[in-house]
Amino acid sequence: MSITSSNAEGMTSQLTRPLNSLITLCLTRLSRRNETLGPPPSHVSHHDIRVPVRNGQTSAGDHIKTLFDCDLPTDKENETFVKCLEKAQLQGPGIRFVVIGSENYVGKWLNGGRRGHGLNYKCFAQQFVSSPVGPGQRNFFEQTLLLGEVQYDDITKQLNDMAHAEGIEQTNIKYGENKVYDRMVEEASIRCQRRLANIVRCIARCSLRPICISGGNEDILGLGYGVHLGRTIARGTPSNLTLGNFDCHGDYKNLEERGAHSGNGFSFLNTIGILKKYAVLGLTPYENRESMMEHLISTNCWYRYLDDISLIGAPNRPSLYESLLDMIKALDAEDDEVPGLCVDLDVTEDLMTVSCPATLGFTRAQVHELVQEFTRYNKPFFLLLAEGMPDPMIPLTEGINRTLGKYQAGLVACFLRNCISVPHI
């Protein structure tokens, strides 16, 4: 499909111009066995997570690695960061997976979603490191690096400063009410995705598998573009993407409006020419516009509505497992393609701690099994968990926030367990 809008052309050119060489991360540091942590180097932004102590058992955090375990980079340059990742690969059983957090409100605001409060990665990380280690699980936790969270504070601060200079009140503003502000946010969203892509490029270049805990589905753009660049460098040949998505929304809106946002990340990847196959399972017919579905069909993407799947064994519709196999068949990747998986948490019915809660969807157990079987068959190189949004009025380790954190931690552990037998790429 060709995009003729000058706005769309401008957005794609902004994304694909050469990335800078700086890494901007808030690193995760683990406090194990009640140890007292001293101050980190002055140039390092970080947050601490305490690994719980339980008599007679170990937690995932006792085995998961951080960059603090592998010698920190002495500066923020890409090459130093890459060398640090390469060193981590050589320690112990070696690192194969890198978990990274990413959350900014601009992409969700552009798509009309709730902004969130920047708490999703911390909510996940606390439950992930607290997970008990069962039989056969120590191996994949030892091969996992809990990196940290991408920082966007300077981008959002600049956006706020420009809005203030223009006299724009941001509290209740909606897209379309102020064209100057709309363009500011569109440009900020592209900058956020370029920053994520820069970090992921370094990870994928080292043949490490990125796992992104995201506040919005727009991060598939930065994640996918970074994987494409990193694998192309590592392989020496162009590495395009085949992506599966469990989602009640297609997230394939046209690029001619609203910039890069949580509703058009996949179509953005298609427009810049690196998405070769896309399949989405679990769409609800009441939440996907006709124009978006026409766009999805016109680019030969595979999809299946929730209404077209039998969850109770009805004979006139395919089962959920049969639908999954059809999805995997549609995504059959060539040797030069990199497979990936996205799970939009709003595909889970009655999960209220997401940016766009759905009343129809899959159960948590069904989503867990979908991830398990998709990973076993498709062998994705990377994973995106998107749209988690903890309630800021409740402590992150309690109530519905604890449920959200454990749910995401369980999906990541499922991905790790089923990827561990996949050889290095």
Side-chain angles (χ1 to χ4, degrees), residues 41 85 235 355:
L85 293 176
R235 289 174 162 180
S355 63

Side-chain angles (χ1 to χ4, degrees), residues 66-211:
T66 71
L67 281 189
F68 288 88
D69 302 317
C70 309
D71 291 341
L72 287 166
T74 56
D75 55 45
K76 297 180 179 180
E77 291 294 325
N78 277 2
E79 290 305 315
T80 307
F81 180 59
V82 168
K83 289 177 182 178
C84 192
L85 293 176
E86 291 173 342
K87 183 175 181 180
Q89 289 178 287
L90 301 176
Q91 295 189 355
I95 299 299
R96 289 184 61 187
F97 307 94
V98 178
V99 182
I100 186 171
S102 174
E103 185 169 9
N104 66 81
Y105 71 81
V106 290
K108 289 189 288 188
W109 181 86
L110 283 168
N111 198 33
R114 296 187 289 173
R115 291 187 176 215
H117 303 276
L119 300 172
N120 191 40
Y121 173 75
K122 294 177 184 177
C123 180
F124 153 80
Q126 184 60 67
Q127 298 303 323
F128 187 53
V129 302
S130 301
S131 303
V133 178
Q137 295 180 352
R138 175 175 175 173
N139 186 30
F140 62 75
F141 284 129
E142 288 181 335
Q143 297 184 53
T144 301
L145 177 72
L146 194 61
L147 182 60
E149 191 166 14
V150 186
Q151 290 186 298
Y152 303 109
D153 292 350
D154 59 317
I155 297 176
T156 54
K157 182 181 184 302
Q158 185 178 20
L159 173 62
N160 294 336
D161 290 344
M162 289 191 299
H164 180 74
E166 294 286 340
I168 299 171
E169 173 55 52
Q170 301 180 82
T171 306
N172 296 310
I173 193 171
K174 293 181 173 58
Y175 186 88
E177 294 179 350
N178 187 308
K179 291 185 178 180
V180 173
Y181 185 69
D182 293 347
R183 184 54 59 90
M184 289 179 184
V185 181
E186 289 172 0
E187 292 176 354
S189 182
I190 291 292
R191 289 179 63 197
C192 291
Q193 294 311 307
R194 285 172 52 81
R195 181 165 294 182
L196 175 60
N198 186 41
I199 295 170
V200 172
R201 171 182 60 171
C202 296
I203 295 169
R205 171 182 162 183
C206 297
S207 297
L208 298 171
R209 297 170 179 265
I211 298 170

Side-chain angles (χ1 to χ4, degrees), residues 28-33 35 49-52 54 58-66 69 125-133 138 141-142 144 146:
T28 296
R29 188 167 65 156
L30 298 183
S31 171
R32 303 181 178 95
R33 300 294 163 186
E35 65 181 318
I49 296 179
R50 186 167 295 280
V51 179
R54 299 186 179 98
T58 61
S59 299
D62 294 319
H63 305 291
I64 292 169
K65 302 296 188 296
T66 71
D69 302 317
Q126 184 60 67
Q127 298 303 323
F128 187 53
V129 302
S130 301
S131 303
V133 178
R138 175 175 175 173
F141 284 129
E142 288 181 335
T144 301
L146 194 61

Side-chain angles (χ1 to χ4, degrees), residues 181-339:
Y181 185 69
D182 293 347
R183 184 54 59 90
M184 289 179 184
V185 181
E186 289 172 0
E187 292 176 354
S189 182
I190 291 292
R191 289 179 63 197
C192 291
Q193 294 311 307
R194 285 172 52 81
R195 181 165 294 182
L196 175 60
N198 186 41
I199 295 170
V200 172
R201 171 182 60 171
C202 296
I203 295 169
R205 171 182 162 183
C206 297
S207 297
L208 298 171
R209 297 170 179 265
I211 298 170
C212 184
I213 310 301
S214 165
N217 226 359
E218 70 275 7
D219 283 338
I220 190 60
L221 176 56
L223 177 61
Y225 188 51
V227 166
H228 160 73
L229 293 175
R231 297 310 298 149
T232 297
I233 294 171
R235 289 174 162 180
T237 57
S239 297
N240 295 318
L241 309 176
T242 63
L243 298 180
N245 185 20
F246 301 135
D247 199 343
C248 61
H249 306 100
D251 293 337
Y252 209 78
K253 293 179 180 178
N254 203 301
L255 263 62
E256 294 184 8
E257 58 177 15
R258 298 200 179 205
H261 60 70
S262 59
N264 68 6
F266 295 96
S267 52
F268 210 122
L269 290 173
N270 177 69
T271 299
I272 62 177
I274 64 174
L275 179 61
K276 293 304 179 184
K277 301 185 186 80
Y278 175 52
V280 55
L281 179 65
L283 296 177
T284 55
Y286 325 109
E287 300 190 36
N288 291 276
R289 294 180 183 177
E290 182 179 5
S291 59
M292 191 211 70
M293 295 306 299
E294 290 174 350
H295 187 197
L296 196 70
I297 293 168
S298 70
T299 50
N300 298 316
C301 300
W302 184 95
Y303 68 93
R304 184 155 294 168
Y305 284 117
L306 184 65
D307 286 12
D308 294 331
I309 302 169
S310 175
L311 302 178
I312 60 172
N316 60 332
R317 286 174 290 162
S319 68
L320 181 56
Y321 183 66
E322 291 169 334
S323 297
L324 176 65
L325 293 180
D326 290 341
M327 178 187 193
I328 292 170
K329 183 177 179 181
L331 290 171
D332 187 28
E334 305 293 336
D335 290 341
D336 62 343
E337 295 171 350
V338 183

